[in-house]
Amino acid sequence: MKALGSHGETLTADYLQAEGYVILARNWRCERGEIDIVANDRKTLVFIEVKTRRTDHCGDGFAAVDTRKQEKLRLLARHFIHQTGTTAHAYRFDVVAVDGNDGNITHLKNAF
């Protein structure tokens, strides 16, 4: 399962770079948890949650980012900004769903 998630994150990072994003961190960790990808999209600092699924049996990747997960990501983003000193004109949270079978990527900008 961890290998599947790592593969999805690599596909996502490659996709984002091709779209012009600058990857600042992958799998950034602190005592509270982990942010999959942190990137700059022009003047916007983007915190990206990647969900890779082989089936929709437990819901798609977007459904997995529920209110509780969103709150955790907001908290982690504050920790990232505080610990790294990184600032931006704007901030955004994106969710990327990766099909673990064919590598298809669906990118939801400003997901929450």
Side-chain angles (χ1 to χ4, degrees):
M1 191 73 158
K2 186 171 175 102
L4 178 66
S6 179
H7 178 66
E9 290 170 6
T10 297
L11 289 174
T12 299
D14 292 346
Y15 159 82
L16 292 169
Q17 288 176 316
E19 293 292 311
Y21 289 64
V22 176
I23 305 297
L24 302 177
R26 285 187 58 186
N27 304 112
W28 182 85
R29 299 186 69 69
C30 71
E31 68 280 353
R32 305 299 284 251
E34 177 183 302
I35 301 172
D36 293 332
I37 298 174
V38 182
N40 274 330
D41 179 18
R42 296 170 193 75
K43 294 182 179 184
T44 301
L45 184 61
V46 187
F47 300 93
I48 302 155
E49 179 69 10
V50 180
K51 293 296 182 187
T52 307
R53 301 283 189 261
R54 288 192 200 269
T55 69
D56 287 343
H57 179 69
C58 295
D60 66 16
F62 299 118
V65 185
D66 58 12
T67 304
R68 183 176 166 166
K69 182 67 174 180
Q70 292 172 18
E71 287 302 317
K72 183 173 183 175
L73 289 168
R74 286 184 182 104
L75 173 70
L76 291 170
R78 286 191 296 272
H79 279 276
F80 177 86
I81 292 164
H82 177 74
Q83 289 183 15
T84 66
T86 304
T87 59
H89 290 349
Y91 302 90
R92 190 175 82 216
F93 292 89
D94 292 3
V95 177
V96 174
V98 180
D99 185 318
N101 296 309
D102 63 13
N104 187 47
I105 291 175
T106 305
H107 182 187
L108 181 59
K109 294 181 180 181
N110 208 19
F112 57 91

